Amino acid sequence: MAQSHKLNLASQGTSLKALFSGYLMVVAVGYLMALVQIQLTHGLADGKYGLSVDDIVYSYYGNRNNSLLENKLSGSMKPMASDEDRAAIVTWVHQGATEAAYEATGIKQIFEANCIPCHNADSGMPIPDYTDFKNIKERAVVDTGASFQSLARVSHIHLFGIAFIFMFVGLIFSLASGVPKPLKVTVIVTPYAFLLVDISSWWLTKLNPNFAWMVIIAGGAMAMSFAFMWCVSMYEMWIMPRRHTDERDALLDE
């Protein structure tokens, strides 16, 4: 007759542990890739590696001393063109960014060689199509950061996607028996609360750059809660059973 198992991670069978561990491993790699992506996009908004408050301000509120093209050329798009080509584009922007000058001064050729291979309608990426001069002209004006349309699109994607990720990570972590109930509940709720803070702070920073700190604080809180749940879950599945059996019940309402 099969033995009954207490409802905790340590007492589960190898198959269920493998299922949980596989999911946690893949999600952890995905989280790391998201951090890399943030560093290579928002983290270069000020032209320097590493995420800073200025990067957040430039990404959402904008760097209103320059045009979006100038800010991109000195930030995340800097490696995409030579110093000479970037200087030529900046000069063209300062001279009014007219279509006549775009055609006559070689700026069009610079865009075709360095920008349009990615910035085209067939790329499948959520970036402007620079085969249409109108899209270039729109980005040669003062940089006001992310548009409200893009914020709405990215907000709903993050709210749905990240909520699902933390639901399953939290479900696995809820079976950990070695964490006091108040701490467990706090850690499970933290990413949801700070996900709302994170998304809200994008919109608030768009209106006022002083809210940029909230983006970093919310992102850090979510990362710490994820790391804590991940480490505790893996420990209780694979390391703790080698040391002792666990007869505790991990139900949150016990």
Side-chain angles (χ1 to χ4, degrees):
M1 182 176 179
Q3 294 182 344
S4 61
H5 292 284
K6 290 292 184 179
L7 193 58
N8 60 53
L9 287 173
S11 300
Q12 300 310 307
T14 303
S15 297
L16 196 58
K17 290 181 181 179
L19 174 65
F20 290 165
S21 299
Y23 173 78
L24 291 174
M25 291 294 293
V26 171
V27 170
V29 173
Y31 211 116
L32 290 175
M33 290 299 100
L35 294 177
V36 171
Q37 189 267 340
I38 288 172
Q39 291 297 325
L40 296 178
T41 53
H42 296 309
L44 285 173
D46 62 355
K48 304 174 184 177
Y49 283 101
L51 191 64
S52 67
V53 175
D54 284 341
D55 289 319
I56 302 300
V57 173
Y58 294 165
S59 296
Y60 296 106
Y61 181 77
N63 181 358
R64 304 193 179 189
N65 295 321
N66 299 311
S67 68
L68 179 59
L69 275 177
E70 291 174 82
N71 292 332
K72 287 293 186 181
L73 287 170
S74 61
S76 58
M77 294 294 106
K78 187 175 182 178
M80 299 297 108
S82 65
D83 292 342
E84 294 78 9
D85 286 346
R86 293 199 310 275
I89 294 173
V90 170
T91 300
W92 169 71
V93 170
H94 288 178
Q95 292 175 346
T98 64
E99 187 169 7
Y102 177 77
E103 299 279 352
T105 60
I107 302 300
K108 180 178 181 179
Q109 287 72 27
I110 294 175
F111 271 86
E112 289 176 342
N114 300 287
C115 308
I116 291 177
C118 292
H119 286 268
N120 62 77
D122 298 325
S123 68
M125 295 184 285
I127 54 179
D129 178 10
Y130 282 172
T131 60
D132 185 348
F133 177 77
K134 177 175 67 69
N135 292 326
I136 298 175
K137 179 66 175 180
E138 289 175 352
R139 286 155 182 82
V141 297
V142 174
D143 179 11
T144 57
S147 67
F148 287 110
Q149 292 88 342
S150 65
L151 284 177
R153 174 175 51 81
V154 177
S155 294
H156 93 268
I157 292 172
H158 276 71
L159 285 167
F160 285 129
I162 296 178
F164 271 111
I165 290 172
F166 276 111
M167 185 184 78
F168 291 113
V169 173
L171 180 62
I172 295 170
F173 173 72
S174 69
L175 298 178
S177 59
V179 181
K181 184 168 67 174
L183 176 59
K184 184 186 291 186
V185 173
T186 300
V187 173
I188 289 175
V189 170
T190 292
Y192 296 107
F194 279 97
L195 175 58
L196 293 175
V197 173
D198 187 37
I199 302 301
S200 299
S201 62
W202 298 354
W203 293 81
L204 292 171
T205 303
K206 171 67 177 175
L207 301 174
N208 188 319
N210 292 321
F211 287 100
W213 278 104
M214 290 175 59
V215 179
I216 296 177
I217 292 171
M222 285 192 291
M224 287 189 291
S225 62
F226 176 85
F228 184 82
M229 289 190 285
W230 194 94
C231 291
V232 169
S233 299
M234 295 296 281
Y235 171 80
E236 291 206 5
M237 281 190 289
W238 300 108
I239 299 177
M240 191 171 72
R242 296 176 178 272
R243 298 181 175 180
H244 58 80
T245 58
D246 190 356
E247 297 297 326
R248 294 171 293 184
D249 199 320
L251 285 175
L252 292 178
D253 57 354
E254 63 183 351

